[in-house]
Every structure is written in C-alpha cells, then in structure tokens.
Amino acid sequence: MRSGGSVTIYQVARAAGVSPSTVSNLLNGRPGRMLPATRQRVEAAIEQLGYRPNRTARQLRTGRTQAIGLVVPSVANPFWGTFARHLEGAALAEDYHVLLCNSEREPERERRYLEQLWDDGIRGVVLCSSLPSLDHVKPLVEAGLTVVAFDRTAQPGDPEALVNISVDNAVGTHLVTQHLLSLGHRRLAYVSGSLRAVNRQERYRGYLSAITDAGLDLADVNVELSTSDTSYGDRDAAELGRARTVELLSSPNPPTALVAMNDMCALGVCAGVRDTGHQVAEDVSVVGFDDILLAELCAPALTTVRQPLERMATEAFQHLRAGIEGGAPVLGRSLLIRPELVVRASTAPPR
C-alpha cells in the first residue's frame, strides 16, 4: 500500500481502468448508472493504493468544506452533548464532520461564530439557542448559509429559507403538569431561567394551559412562576433550580409540586428540596423536561418529558445536507414532533 498523501485520483482511475470522472463520481456519492463491476474495481483500487481524498483540494474546488456547524447554548447541559453525539453520527455516515460552538444564547456571539464558520467554508449550521429573533444571522442565511433552528418554532420575521425542528414544548409541559394535577396537586410552582427563549415561553404556556384545561381557575390555584432573568446562564440551570426551590419551600404556603424548565434544573430542584429538610416525592413532587441520562440515574428517578433526539438530529442533518448539496429544503418549514411523558419515582400524591 502506498502512502495516502502520494496517491492521486488519476492513479486510482488508471488502476481501475476507468476515467478520473468515474472515480470522482463515486467518491462524491454520485455512482449514477455505474455498473456494479465497475464500482467494485474502483473501490478495490482505492483500498489497494491507500487513496484518501484531499479535503483541501475539494474545498478549493467546491468553495465549501465537508463539515457542518453546531451552535448550542452550553454543553454543560448533558442534553446538548447527547444531541451533538446523534448529529455527529448522522453526519459521519455521510462523510461530514461537526464543529461545535457554545453561544450561551448571546446573539453577538452566535453571529461571530456563524461568520467564522462561513469564512471557513461551512455551508450548513444547526442553531440551538431558540431566540425569538434571528435577525443577527439573517444576512448569512440570505447569502446562502443553510440554517436549521433546533428546539424552536417559526417566528414572525424569520428568513424564508429557515427550517425549524422542535418537539411541541407546550404539549410536553401540558402532559407533565396534567400528571401532577391527576395526582391531586393544587399548589404548583414553575421554576425557570429567563423566558426570552421561544422554547421556554412555550413550556410555560403549556404549564398554564394544563391547569385551565382541567377546569381550574388560575386565581384559585397557587400557580407560582419563579424565574431569573440575568443571574443564571444555561450552564447554571442546576444551581438556579436549587436556589429557587429553597426560596419557594421557605414561603408561608409552599408548593407541593415543582415543574422545572429542564432536567438539569430539576436535579437542582431536588437538591433544594433536600436542603430544606424535605423528601422528593414523599413531600414535594418534582418533574423535568428532556429525559437526559441522569434523569433515570438520580434517586428518586425523575419524572420528565422525553425528546426523540436521535430522530430530530437525523432530520436536522438531512435538511442541512439538502441545502448544502443543492437540494432545496421546504421554505419556512417547521417540523413539530410530539414528546413523550415518562413517569418515574419523583412524583406522588400530595401529603
């Protein structure tokens, strides 16, 4: 076997007895009407010679690199690590690589990341901040950058070519709040960071709608909202949950059930319950959202809402690939997927 760096596409073509364009078509996933025997000869020549495609040459030829960008709020939340793993799996299966960035939901930071990715030849990005306005990235989308907004529904003023992929966040919190109401809870509190993100607004809306849909008057139910606008970022969700829970359970009329914005926040809520001398489920029910791995491993295991991340990551990559390689994704499309309620041991009837 020769050194991969010294072998060219022309040498592969000579060894296989085909034209260089035939080898190029196979390498770029365009076998067309190539006979099986021809394909086998080309693949055998590639393996025998140890040929490796020159990615730099490909980028110079096409103006793009065989990679996509992924911009998440913070990998401190395991949810985003799991999503990144599934997206990378879908990308690697098609010979794409993934470049990961953390934005902390800061528009200026996102803009700089996307501009740098564009300058480096990246032509597709999954953007996960769920911000209501994407004006900060609109010029790049209009220039040809394919963007999939994950965990976000379509908003007024979105770029026409934007694709949104999300679970129905409102349905998710509706399901989990409905579960608490069915257990008999009537003193509830919702624990969240800033509600400026679209997904968080929808989750809070689902929480309220579950109460009204049950025929209960919000004025007659202790429906408290405990949020923080600036003190806590995404990486601090557990700390936020813990601090807010201590405050809530120290009040004169404390809630018997707490709905957290996500699982990391819910894990902090569980810690806050214990900090105040109470037991999770026995004294205070706790629910989350996402179904990260830790949700099943904590004690008691967390009742939560499951997002089908592998399916969503595959959908996101397929839309990116279609845009990058010249296929036209449906303009302004929003893919909304129903989440699943997962009942575990962190919820019980109120004492």
Side-chain angles (χ1 to χ4, degrees):
M1 179 183 295
R2 300 186 189 183
S3 169
S6 64
V7 179
T8 69
I9 194 172
Y10 300 99
Q11 291 171 303
V12 173
R14 284 197 298 271
V18 299
S19 68
S21 63
T22 299
V23 179
S24 177
N25 285 336
L26 180 62
L27 292 172
N28 288 286
R30 301 189 301 269
R33 298 181 180 179
M34 189 181 301
L35 294 174
T38 302
R39 180 169 185 162
Q40 290 173 5
R41 291 204 313 274
V42 174
E43 291 174 342
I46 289 172
E47 182 176 356
Q48 179 182 1
L49 296 175
Y51 173 75
R52 295 292 181 271
N54 187 322
R55 294 185 180 276
T56 301
R58 177 185 291 179
Q59 182 174 351
L60 290 172
R61 185 173 63 253
T62 64
R64 60 180 173 84
T65 187
Q66 199 78 355
I68 60 173
L70 172 60
V71 182
V72 303
S74 173
V75 291
N77 183 345
F79 173 82
W80 295 116
T82 301
F83 178 73
R85 179 172 62 85
H86 288 308
L87 183 68
E88 184 178 48
L92 287 175
E94 301 295 339
D95 197 31
Y96 277 79
H97 300 275
V98 178
L99 299 179
L100 176 65
C101 309
N102 293 268
S103 75
E104 299 294 343
R105 302 186 196 269
E106 297 175 6
E108 179 59 21
R109 190 166 169 180
E110 288 184 352
R111 183 189 63 78
R112 291 199 304 268
Y113 274 139
L114 265 61
E115 287 179 350
Q116 184 63 59
L117 291 169
W118 175 265
D119 290 344
D120 289 343
I122 306 297
R123 294 296 176 259
V125 174
V126 180
L127 186 61
C128 303
S129 61
S130 195
L131 295 175
S133 171
L134 295 182
D135 286 348
H136 57 294
V137 301
K138 187 178 290 187
L140 285 168
V141 176
E142 293 173 346
L145 180 67
T146 299
V147 174
V148 171
F150 179 78
D151 201 18
R152 179 185 187 274
T153 52
Q155 302 295 307
D158 278 354
E160 287 187 357
L162 186 71
V163 174
N164 293 275
I165 297 177
S166 178
V167 292
D168 194 323
N169 284 290
V171 166
T173 46
H174 190 286
L175 288 171
V176 80
T177 305
Q178 191 177 52
H179 166 66
L180 292 172
L181 294 171
S182 71
L183 292 174
H185 292 279
R186 293 298 181 270
R187 298 203 309 275
L188 309 172
Y190 188 84
V191 182
S192 176
S194 169
L195 293 182
R196 68 189 179 105
V198 173
N199 60 343
R200 293 184 183 178
Q201 294 170 10
E202 293 172 345
R203 290 180 190 184
Y204 183 55
R205 177 167 56 84
Y207 163 73
L208 295 178
S209 70
I211 295 168
T212 56
D213 288 352
L216 301 172
D217 192 328
L218 293 176
D220 297 330
V221 179
N222 183 9
V223 185
E224 188 162 356
L225 170 64
S226 182
T227 66
S228 173
D229 289 332
T230 58
S231 300
Y232 299 91
D234 278 80
R235 64 183 180 274
D236 306 314
E239 183 183 347
L240 177 147
R242 187 174 200 162
R244 290 288 179 260
T245 299
V246 170
E247 294 174 4
L248 288 165
L249 296 185
S250 301
S251 64
N253 192 29
T256 62
L258 298 170
V259 180
M261 66 175 181
N262 60 31
D263 284 351
M264 285 304 294
C265 182
L267 294 177
V269 168
C270 291
V273 170
R274 293 188 292 269
D275 288 345
T276 57
H278 297 86
Q279 297 298 315
V280 174
E282 183 178 342
D283 299 313
V284 181
S285 288
V286 178
V287 298
F289 200 114
D290 289 337
D291 197 27
I292 62 175
L293 177 62
L294 294 175
E296 187 175 8
L297 298 178
C298 67
L302 185 66
T303 293
T304 187
V305 177
R306 176 177 295 155
Q307 300 202 49
L309 283 186
E310 184 172 5
R311 175 189 170 187
M312 297 166 77
T314 300
E315 291 277 2
F317 174 73
Q318 292 303 333
H319 280 287
L320 282 189
R321 186 185 180 197
I324 293 169
E325 298 184 3
V330 179
L331 297 183
R333 179 180 179 186
S334 279
L335 178 61
L336 202 59
I337 300 172
R338 184 177 177 86
E340 176 188 354
L341 174 65
V342 181
V343 178
R344 297 195 179 103
S346 67
T347 51
R351 299 184 72 171

